[in-house]
Amino acid sequence: MTSSPLTLFHLSDIHFGLEDKRALAWVRDEIATRRPDAVVITGDHTMRARHHEFAAATRWINALEVPVTIAIGNHDMPYFNLFERFTTPYKRFEGMKALVEREIDLPGLAIVPLKSVRRWQPRTNWSKGWVTEPALERCLAAIDRLPAGTATLISVHHPLREVGTHGTALTHGGEKALAELAKRGVIGVLSGHVHDAFDIAEPTAEGPVRMIGAGTLSQRTRSTPPSFNELVWDGASLSVTVRNLEHVPTEDMLIEDVPADAMPPRSPGEPVAPVAQVPAIDPPVH
């Protein structure tokens, strides 16, 4: 047991350039007032990886006076400069590079990063995830170095859900990654990408792994309003509360499953549940 419970704020998909300014101001104030033990941001800090979007993200994140670790999201890779994407894809993180895939060690609890983005993929949809062998090996080595008895949370952008074929899988290599993490008894895998929160026990050949997704803090909402996760670890159990300005209960904020295409969990014409927030199309990007 830890001497006192640890509180983490799990944010994702802020998408500076199309951020929700009201939600961000609220979260900033919550962090300043509550002083969580750490903030985990699981990628997609920008909308199109533009310089001014990264500048805004850097200012906001660096102003958080608590330990922070950030994952790289598919929207954070250069969109319009292919030369930079292939040669120096993380150059625009320079102002906050110390936070990128940073391991955070707290009393009895560690947050370990796992990369799921690639500068290119042998398939047409590069927005999807790919856990490479070297990325997985780095993550597992970091876990194996931890003192015995340390609880572990994994920080990654894409949910480690692998369905369909090599070309259609939401996260290629996700099934193997989850099985290896199950072997090591991780208490949860924190991710984003789908813009709705979820808390799912994902089965693997090595036992279940808890996958916890945070919603978005942008205008690109899916089926729930902007939100973040508040996690509390008491040394024995991990609780998740989905915080949002609409005061929607956590059980209504959680989607039941991770959509394979990372789009709204509904069919055309179906009513939007539970809080009628899915736009017909994404807002225009200027």
Side-chain angles (χ1 to χ4, degrees), residues 214-257:
T216 183
L217 289 170
S218 76
Q219 298 177 52
R220 301 180 73 236
T221 53
R222 298 298 190 218
S223 63
T224 52
S227 67
F228 72 94
N229 292 340
E230 180 175 328
L231 283 63
V232 177
W233 171 247
D234 65 4
S237 63
L238 181 70
S239 65
V240 178
T241 302
V242 184
R243 302 282 308 283
N244 64 93
L245 283 169
E246 305 300 326
H247 306 295
V248 180
T250 293
E251 57 268 24
D252 291 332
M253 289 290 292
L254 296 171
I255 58 174
E256 294 181 356
D257 202 0

Short mmCIF file of all heavy atoms in Angstrom, two decimals, residues 214-257:
data_model
loop_
_atom_site.label_atom_id
_atom_site.label_comp_id
_atom_site.label_asym_id
_atom_site.label_seq_id
_atom_site.Cartn_x
_atom_site.Cartn_y
_atom_site.Cartn_z
N ALA A 214 -8.82 8.22 -22.41
CA ALA A 214 -9.32 9.56 -22.08
C ALA A 214 -10.02 10.15 -23.29
O ALA A 214 -9.70 9.83 -24.44
CB ALA A 214 -8.17 10.46 -21.65
N GLY A 215 -10.99 11.02 -23.03
CA GLY A 215 -11.68 11.72 -24.10
C GLY A 215 -10.83 12.85 -24.65
O GLY A 215 -9.62 12.89 -24.47
N THR A 216 -11.47 13.79 -25.30
CA THR A 216 -10.77 14.91 -25.92
C THR A 216 -10.99 16.20 -25.15
O THR A 216 -11.98 16.33 -24.42
CB THR A 216 -11.25 15.09 -27.38
OG1 THR A 216 -10.51 16.15 -27.99
CG2 THR A 216 -12.73 15.43 -27.44
N LEU A 217 -10.06 17.13 -25.30
CA LEU A 217 -10.23 18.50 -24.79
C LEU A 217 -10.27 19.47 -25.96
O LEU A 217 -9.88 20.62 -25.84
CB LEU A 217 -9.10 18.84 -23.82
CG LEU A 217 -9.17 18.11 -22.48
CD1 LEU A 217 -7.90 18.32 -21.67
CD2 LEU A 217 -10.39 18.56 -21.67
N SER A 218 -10.78 18.97 -27.08
CA SER A 218 -10.88 19.78 -28.30
C SER A 218 -12.34 19.93 -28.71
O SER A 218 -13.24 19.41 -28.07
CB SER A 218 -10.10 19.10 -29.43
OG SER A 218 -10.83 18.00 -29.95
N GLN A 219 -12.53 20.65 -29.82
CA GLN A 219 -13.87 20.77 -30.39
C GLN A 219 -14.25 19.54 -31.21
O GLN A 219 -15.40 19.43 -31.64
CB GLN A 219 -13.92 22.01 -31.29
CG GLN A 219 -13.65 23.32 -30.57
CD GLN A 219 -13.65 24.49 -31.53
OE1 GLN A 219 -14.59 24.67 -32.32
NE2 GLN A 219 -12.60 25.29 -31.50
N ARG A 220 -13.31 18.61 -31.40
CA ARG A 220 -13.57 17.43 -32.22
C ARG A 220 -14.19 16.33 -31.36
O ARG A 220 -13.64 15.24 -31.21
CB ARG A 220 -12.28 16.96 -32.88
CG ARG A 220 -11.64 18.00 -33.75
CD ARG A 220 -10.34 17.50 -34.40
NE ARG A 220 -10.64 16.56 -35.47
CZ ARG A 220 -10.16 15.32 -35.53
NH1 ARG A 220 -9.41 14.86 -34.55
NH2 ARG A 220 -10.45 14.54 -36.56
N THR A 221 -15.33 16.62 -30.77
CA THR A 221 -15.98 15.64 -29.91
C THR A 221 -16.62 14.53 -30.74
O THR A 221 -16.96 14.71 -31.90
CB THR A 221 -17.05 16.31 -29.04
OG1 THR A 221 -17.94 17.06 -29.87
CG2 THR A 221 -16.42 17.25 -28.03
N ARG A 222 -16.79 13.39 -30.11
CA ARG A 222 -17.45 12.25 -30.74
C ARG A 222 -18.82 12.05 -30.09
O ARG A 222 -19.78 12.71 -30.45
CB ARG A 222 -16.57 11.00 -30.60
CG ARG A 222 -15.21 11.11 -31.29
CD ARG A 222 -15.34 11.31 -32.78
NE ARG A 222 -14.05 11.17 -33.44
CZ ARG A 222 -13.66 11.92 -34.46
NH1 ARG A 222 -14.44 12.86 -34.93
NH2 ARG A 222 -12.49 11.72 -35.03
N SER A 223 -18.92 11.18 -29.10
CA SER A 223 -20.23 10.95 -28.48
C SER A 223 -20.32 11.51 -27.07
O SER A 223 -21.33 11.33 -26.41
CB SER A 223 -20.56 9.45 -28.47
OG SER A 223 -19.64 8.74 -27.69
N THR A 224 -19.30 12.19 -26.61
CA THR A 224 -19.30 12.76 -25.26
C THR A 224 -18.64 14.14 -25.28
O THR A 224 -17.84 14.43 -26.18
CB THR A 224 -18.52 11.85 -24.28
OG1 THR A 224 -17.23 11.56 -24.81
CG2 THR A 224 -19.28 10.56 -24.03
N PRO A 225 -18.96 14.98 -24.32
CA PRO A 225 -18.36 16.32 -24.28
C PRO A 225 -16.90 16.26 -23.86
O PRO A 225 -16.41 15.21 -23.41
CB PRO A 225 -19.21 17.04 -23.22
CG PRO A 225 -19.71 15.97 -22.33
CD PRO A 225 -19.94 14.78 -23.23
N PRO A 226 -16.15 17.36 -24.00
CA PRO A 226 -14.74 17.39 -23.60
C PRO A 226 -14.57 16.92 -22.15
O PRO A 226 -15.37 17.25 -21.28
CB PRO A 226 -14.36 18.86 -23.76
CG PRO A 226 -15.27 19.36 -24.83
CD PRO A 226 -16.58 18.65 -24.59
N SER A 227 -13.50 16.15 -21.92
CA SER A 227 -13.32 15.56 -20.59
C SER A 227 -11.86 15.18 -20.37
O SER A 227 -11.05 15.19 -21.29
CB SER A 227 -14.20 14.31 -20.44
OG SER A 227 -13.75 13.27 -21.30
N PHE A 228 -11.56 14.83 -19.11
CA PHE A 228 -10.30 14.18 -18.79
C PHE A 228 -10.58 13.16 -17.70
O PHE A 228 -11.64 13.18 -17.06
CB PHE A 228 -9.23 15.20 -18.36
CG PHE A 228 -9.44 15.81 -17.00
CD1 PHE A 228 -8.83 15.27 -15.87
CD2 PHE A 228 -10.24 16.95 -16.84
CE1 PHE A 228 -9.03 15.84 -14.60
CE2 PHE A 228 -10.43 17.52 -15.59
CZ PHE A 228 -9.82 16.95 -14.46
N ASN A 229 -9.63 12.26 -17.49
CA ASN A 229 -9.78 11.23 -16.46
C ASN A 229 -9.03 11.61 -15.20
O ASN A 229 -7.87 12.02 -15.27
CB ASN A 229 -9.24 9.88 -16.95
CG ASN A 229 -10.07 9.28 -18.07
OD1 ASN A 229 -11.22 9.64 -18.26
ND2 ASN A 229 -9.49 8.36 -18.81
N GLU A 230 -9.67 11.44 -14.07
CA GLU A 230 -8.99 11.55 -12.79
C GLU A 230 -8.81 10.14 -12.23
O GLU A 230 -9.79 9.44 -12.00
CB GLU A 230 -9.79 12.42 -11.82
CG GLU A 230 -9.11 12.56 -10.46
CD GLU A 230 -9.86 13.52 -9.53
OE1 GLU A 230 -10.46 14.49 -10.03
OE2 GLU A 230 -9.83 13.27 -8.31
N LEU A 231 -7.56 9.74 -12.05
CA LEU A 231 -7.24 8.40 -11.57
C LEU A 231 -6.71 8.49 -10.15
O LEU A 231 -5.91 9.39 -9.84
CB LEU A 231 -6.17 7.74 -12.45
CG LEU A 231 -6.59 7.18 -13.82
CD1 LEU A 231 -7.09 8.27 -14.74
CD2 LEU A 231 -5.41 6.45 -14.47
N VAL A 232 -7.13 7.58 -9.31
CA VAL A 232 -6.63 7.49 -7.93
C VAL A 232 -6.15 6.08 -7.67
O VAL A 232 -6.89 5.11 -7.84
CB VAL A 232 -7.72 7.89 -6.91
CG1 VAL A 232 -7.18 7.71 -5.48
CG2 VAL A 232 -8.17 9.33 -7.13
N TRP A 233 -4.87 5.96 -7.28
CA TRP A 233 -4.26 4.68 -6.94
C TRP A 233 -3.98 4.65 -5.44
O TRP A 233 -3.24 5.49 -4.94
CB TRP A 233 -2.96 4.49 -7.73
CG TRP A 233 -2.13 3.31 -7.32
CD1 TRP A 233 -0.91 3.34 -6.72
CD2 TRP A 233 -2.45 1.93 -7.48
NE1 TRP A 233 -0.45 2.07 -6.49
CE2 TRP A 233 -1.37 1.17 -6.95
CE3 TRP A 233 -3.55 1.24 -8.02
CZ2 TRP A 233 -1.36 -0.21 -6.95
CZ3 TRP A 233 -3.54 -0.14 -8.01
CH2 TRP A 233 -2.46 -0.86 -7.49
N ASP A 234 -4.60 3.71 -4.75
CA ASP A 234 -4.44 3.64 -3.30
C ASP A 234 -3.47 2.55 -2.87
O ASP A 234 -3.36 2.23 -1.68
CB ASP A 234 -5.79 3.46 -2.61
CG ASP A 234 -6.44 2.12 -2.93
OD1 ASP A 234 -5.83 1.29 -3.64
OD2 ASP A 234 -7.58 1.90 -2.46
N GLY A 235 -2.77 1.98 -3.83
CA GLY A 235 -1.83 0.90 -3.54
C GLY A 235 -2.43 -0.47 -3.76
O GLY A 235 -1.70 -1.46 -3.83
N ALA A 236 -3.74 -0.54 -3.90
CA ALA A 236 -4.41 -1.82 -4.12
C ALA A 236 -5.36 -1.77 -5.31
O ALA A 236 -5.55 -2.77 -6.00
CB ALA A 236 -5.17 -2.26 -2.88
N SER A 237 -5.98 -0.63 -5.55
CA SER A 237 -6.94 -0.51 -6.64
C SER A 237 -6.82 0.84 -7.31
O SER A 237 -6.37 1.83 -6.70
CB SER A 237 -8.38 -0.72 -6.13
OG SER A 237 -8.72 0.29 -5.21
N LEU A 238 -7.22 0.88 -8.58
CA LEU A 238 -7.17 2.09 -9.38
C LEU A 238 -8.59 2.49 -9.74
O LEU A 238 -9.33 1.72 -10.36
CB LEU A 238 -6.37 1.85 -10.66
CG LEU A 238 -6.20 3.03 -11.61
CD1 LEU A 238 -5.28 4.09 -11.01
CD2 LEU A 238 -5.64 2.55 -12.96
N SER A 239 -9.00 3.69 -9.34
CA SER A 239 -10.34 4.18 -9.68
C SER A 239 -10.23 5.24 -10.76
O SER A 239 -9.24 5.97 -10.84
CB SER A 239 -11.04 4.77 -8.45
OG SER A 239 -10.36 5.93 -7.99
N VAL A 240 -11.25 5.32 -11.60
CA VAL A 240 -11.27 6.26 -12.72
C VAL A 240 -12.56 7.06 -12.66
O VAL A 240 -13.66 6.48 -12.63
CB VAL A 240 -11.18 5.53 -14.07
CG1 VAL A 240 -11.25 6.54 -15.22
CG2 VAL A 240 -9.89 4.72 -14.16
N THR A 241 -12.43 8.38 -12.67
CA THR A 241 -13.58 9.28 -12.76
C THR A 241 -13.40 10.13 -14.01
O THR A 241 -12.33 10.74 -14.21
CB THR A 241 -13.67 10.20 -11.53
OG1 THR A 241 -13.76 9.40 -10.35
CG2 THR A 241 -14.88 11.11 -11.63
N VAL A 242 -14.41 10.16 -14.86
CA VAL A 242 -14.35 10.96 -16.08
C VAL A 242 -14.91 12.34 -15.76
O VAL A 242 -16.12 12.52 -15.59
CB VAL A 242 -15.12 10.31 -17.23
CG1 VAL A 242 -14.95 11.13 -18.51
CG2 VAL A 242 -14.64 8.88 -17.46
N ARG A 243 -14.02 13.33 -15.66
CA ARG A 243 -14.40 14.68 -15.30
C ARG A 243 -14.82 15.47 -16.53
O ARG A 243 -14.15 15.43 -17.57
CB ARG A 243 -13.22 15.38 -14.62
CG ARG A 243 -12.67 14.68 -13.37
CD ARG A 243 -13.54 14.94 -12.16
NE ARG A 243 -13.77 16.37 -11.98
CZ ARG A 243 -12.87 17.22 -11.46
NH1 ARG A 243 -11.69 16.76 -11.03
NH2 ARG A 243 -13.15 18.50 -11.33
N ASN A 244 -15.92 16.20 -16.44
CA ASN A 244 -16.39 17.01 -17.57
C ASN A 244 -17.23 18.16 -17.07
O ASN A 244 -17.82 18.10 -15.97
CB ASN A 244 -17.16 16.14 -18.56
CG ASN A 244 -18.44 15.56 -17.97
OD1 ASN A 244 -19.52 16.15 -18.09
ND2 ASN A 244 -18.33 14.41 -17.29
N LEU A 245 -17.31 19.22 -17.85
CA LEU A 245 -18.03 20.43 -17.46
C LEU A 245 -19.54 20.27 -17.53
O LEU A 245 -20.27 21.10 -16.99
CB LEU A 245 -17.59 21.60 -18.33
CG LEU A 245 -16.23 22.23 -17.98
CD1 LEU A 245 -15.81 23.20 -19.08
CD2 LEU A 245 -16.30 22.94 -16.64
N GLU A 246 -20.01 19.22 -18.20
CA GLU A 246 -21.45 19.01 -18.33
C GLU A 246 -22.00 18.20 -17.16
O GLU A 246 -23.21 17.94 -17.09
CB GLU A 246 -21.75 18.29 -19.64
CG GLU A 246 -21.20 18.98 -20.87
CD GLU A 246 -21.73 20.38 -21.06
OE1 GLU A 246 -22.91 20.61 -20.70
OE2 GLU A 246 -20.98 21.25 -21.54
N HIS A 247 -21.14 17.77 -16.25
CA HIS A 247 -21.54 16.98 -15.08
C HIS A 247 -22.23 15.68 -15.47
O HIS A 247 -23.14 15.20 -14.78
CB HIS A 247 -22.45 17.81 -14.15
CG HIS A 247 -21.84 19.12 -13.75
ND1 HIS A 247 -20.71 19.22 -12.97
CD2 HIS A 247 -22.19 20.40 -14.08
CE1 HIS A 247 -20.40 20.50 -12.80
NE2 HIS A 247 -21.27 21.23 -13.46
N VAL A 248 -21.81 15.11 -16.60
CA VAL A 248 -22.32 13.80 -17.01
C VAL A 248 -21.64 12.74 -16.15
O VAL A 248 -20.42 12.74 -16.00
CB VAL A 248 -22.03 13.54 -18.50
CG1 VAL A 248 -22.56 12.17 -18.92
CG2 VAL A 248 -22.63 14.64 -19.36
N PRO A 249 -22.38 11.82 -15.54
CA PRO A 249 -21.77 10.79 -14.70
C PRO A 249 -20.78 9.94 -15.47
O PRO A 249 -20.93 9.72 -16.68
CB PRO A 249 -22.97 9.95 -14.23
CG PRO A 249 -24.16 10.83 -14.41
CD PRO A 249 -23.86 11.70 -15.60
N THR A 250 -19.79 9.44 -14.76
CA THR A 250 -18.75 8.63 -15.39
C THR A 250 -19.34 7.46 -16.17
O THR A 250 -18.91 7.18 -17.30
CB THR A 250 -17.75 8.11 -14.33
OG1 THR A 250 -17.04 9.23 -13.80
CG2 THR A 250 -16.77 7.12 -14.92
N GLU A 251 -20.32 6.78 -15.60
CA GLU A 251 -20.86 5.60 -16.28
C GLU A 251 -21.51 5.96 -17.62
O GLU A 251 -21.57 5.12 -18.54
CB GLU A 251 -21.87 4.86 -15.40
CG GLU A 251 -23.04 5.70 -14.92
CD GLU A 251 -22.79 6.36 -13.57
OE1 GLU A 251 -21.61 6.58 -13.20
OE2 GLU A 251 -23.79 6.65 -12.88
N ASP A 252 -21.98 7.20 -17.78
CA ASP A 252 -22.57 7.62 -19.04
C ASP A 252 -21.51 8.18 -20.00
O ASP A 252 -21.77 8.28 -21.21
CB ASP A 252 -23.64 8.69 -18.80
CG ASP A 252 -24.86 8.13 -18.10
OD1 ASP A 252 -25.13 6.92 -18.27
OD2 ASP A 252 -25.55 8.88 -17.40
N MET A 253 -20.36 8.55 -19.48
CA MET A 253 -19.28 9.06 -20.33
C MET A 253 -18.49 7.94 -20.97
O MET A 253 -17.82 8.14 -21.99
CB MET A 253 -18.33 9.93 -19.50
CG MET A 253 -18.90 11.27 -19.08
SD MET A 253 -19.11 12.43 -20.47
CE MET A 253 -17.40 12.77 -20.89
N LEU A 254 -18.51 6.74 -20.40
CA LEU A 254 -17.69 5.64 -20.88
C LEU A 254 -18.37 4.91 -22.04
O LEU A 254 -19.50 4.45 -21.91
CB LEU A 254 -17.41 4.64 -19.76
CG LEU A 254 -16.59 5.16 -18.58
CD1 LEU A 254 -16.58 4.13 -17.45
CD2 LEU A 254 -15.15 5.48 -19.01
N ILE A 255 -17.69 4.81 -23.17
CA ILE A 255 -18.21 3.97 -24.25
C ILE A 255 -17.92 2.51 -23.92
O ILE A 255 -16.99 2.20 -23.18
CB ILE A 255 -17.63 4.37 -25.63
CG1 ILE A 255 -16.09 4.27 -25.63
CG2 ILE A 255 -18.08 5.77 -26.01
CD1 ILE A 255 -15.47 4.52 -27.00
N GLU A 256 -18.72 1.62 -24.47
CA GLU A 256 -18.64 0.22 -24.09
C GLU A 256 -17.49 -0.52 -24.75
O GLU A 256 -17.02 -1.53 -24.24
CB GLU A 256 -19.96 -0.49 -24.41
CG GLU A 256 -21.13 0.02 -23.58
CD GLU A 256 -22.42 -0.71 -23.91
OE1 GLU A 256 -22.40 -1.56 -24.83
OE2 GLU A 256 -23.44 -0.44 -23.24
N ASP A 257 -17.04 -0.03 -25.89
CA ASP A 257 -15.96 -0.70 -26.60
C ASP A 257 -15.21 0.31 -27.43
O ASP A 257 -15.71 1.42 -27.71
CB ASP A 257 -16.52 -1.81 -27.50
CG ASP A 257 -15.48 -2.87 -27.84
OD1 ASP A 257 -14.34 -2.74 -27.37
OD2 ASP A 257 -15.81 -3.81 -28.57
#
